[in-house]
Amino acid sequence: MRELIVLGTASQVPTRTRNHNGYLLRWDGEGLLFDPGEGTQRQMIHAGVAASSVTRICLTHVHGDHCFGLPGVLARMALDGAGHPVPVHYPAAGEDVVRALVALAGPGVDVRLVPHGSAGEVAPGLAVVPLRHRVPAFGYRLVEPDGRTLLSDRLAAVGLSGPAVGRLQREGRVGGVRLADVSVPRRGQRFALVMDTAVCAGAEELADGADLLLTESTFADEDEDLAEAYLHLTAGQAGALAGHGGAGTLVLTHFSARYPDVTHLAAQARARAGAARVVAAADLDRFAPPPRRAS
Ligand SMILES: [Zn+2]
């Protein structure tokens, strides 16, 4: 099962309708929790997801709206008896903050601290790319390996079924039938998260080819001077990331509290997003990755 559950969508200060950040990505057997801001534990209850479903925690940076929910989530996991190890990824520059937050949570969860200081893979399929913010910040990209899609008509034509199909997938050949003869290439799905950054090469790299792209969209286009001053994206800039990168679905989040209604931010993003579907997220929204693309 693959699904993005949006737990919060506010930047800096929460509002009556928007909690601080928090995003749970269910990806097959994993539950990746990104940027748990204050209130994340309670938002998970509203979303109907158990704290023990979190298998990995990823922080983009250590500003409070992206990490002050960490102790609560860890303490709840301990209370619920989550026995699995939980890697916590974060920029190495945030070491003191992360250690303090983890210490506040107390014992009970097998936390594995995994700091990163430069671009690269931090877990199988999971990579970080530096962004441009007021403190060191990194975005994340999760990439499924490319595979092959079996074609049932071709399998039937060569008379393969049942366990022989599994063998064909594992071994690449069964008798005179090659896997390539009865399947087509399938591009792995890609999720990317671009959070708290000005426009930069790292954000573009993350957005490139993303099926599901979650980006901050702190300011409206008319407030571009604020975006420049605080190193954030405007809605139009977020849209352009998706447009240039050929993203499938763009989910906008991390809105400034100055916009009670973000409809116009979604329109500004959409105007520059090319073929991408653009959605301004509300708290507790859920998004499935769009259907796989042909290679
Ligand atoms: Zn933020």
Side-chain angles (χ1 to χ4, degrees):
M1 183 205 203
R2 295 183 181 173
E3 183 182 36
L4 173 67
I5 302 171
V6 177
L7 300 167
T9 54
S11 72
Q12 198 172 45
V13 292
T15 70
R16 285 165 185 262
T17 56
R18 296 188 185 278
N19 198 79
H20 270 149
N21 292 284
Y23 313 91
L24 182 70
L25 180 68
R26 284 180 151 163
W27 192 268
D28 305 333
E30 275 223 58
L32 296 96
L33 178 63
F34 292 94
D35 284 359
E38 273 177 74
T40 296
Q41 180 185 176
R42 190 149 187 271
Q43 291 296 97
M44 291 178 76
I45 294 166
H46 283 305
V49 290
S52 56
S53 67
V54 174
T55 59
R56 190 179 292 281
I57 297 174
C58 304
L59 307 181
T60 58
H61 64 300
V62 295
H63 280 157
D65 53 327
H66 298 260
C67 64
F68 282 1
L70 184 60
V73 170
L74 290 175
R76 179 58 189 272
M77 291 177 75
L79 187 68
D80 290 354
H84 52 270
V86 182
V88 178
H89 302 272
Y90 54 94
E95 186 77 28
D96 291 351
V97 174
V98 172
R99 282 189 181 273
L101 292 169
V102 170
L104 277 175
V109 176
D110 182 5
V111 170
R112 311 275 173 94
L113 298 181
V114 194
H116 48 256
S118 57
E121 194 169 70
V122 295
L126 182 68
V128 297
V129 178
L131 297 170
R132 188 160 75 90
H133 197 44
R134 305 191 304 283
V135 297
F138 288 77
Y140 289 84
R141 182 175 53 207
L142 187 62
V143 178
E144 172 192 37
D146 292 339
R148 301 193 69 87
T149 299
L150 292 165
L151 302 170
S152 54
D153 55 335
R154 291 204 203 162
L155 283 172
V158 297
L160 276 189
S161 62
V165 176
R167 235 181 88 207
L168 179 67
Q169 284 179 297
R170 285 191 305 276
E171 298 172 12
R173 178 186 279 272
V174 168
V177 180
R178 295 177 311 158
L179 179 59
D181 298 332
V182 293
S183 64
V184 288
R186 184 189 68 200
R187 188 175 166 282
Q189 278 191 320
R190 294 163 181 233
F191 166 81
L193 178 138
V194 173
M195 203 59 66
D196 286 34
T197 185
V199 173
C200 66
E204 287 168 10
E205 184 185 333
L206 287 162
D208 188 38
D211 296 288
L212 185 57
L213 173 63
L214 177 66
T215 81
E216 70 130 302
S217 173
T218 311
F219 293 107
D221 288 359
E222 58 271 23
D223 293 321
E224 191 173 347
D225 54 334
L226 292 175
E228 267 170 31
Y230 296 105
L231 299 183
H232 280 297
L233 295 177
T234 64
Q237 289 167 343
L241 278 181
H244 293 152
T249 296
L250 170 65
V251 177
L252 305 172
T253 184
H254 194 272
F255 302 110
S256 164
R258 74 186 54 231
Y259 314 113
D261 181 353
V262 296
T263 309
H264 71 296
L265 276 75
Q268 289 170 349
R270 206 168 282 127
R272 296 175 65 183
R277 171 180 172 240
V278 178
V279 188
D283 287 19
L284 307 179
D285 275 354
R286 291 170 185 248
F287 300 93
R292 294 173 185 285
R293 313 166 185 210
S295 292

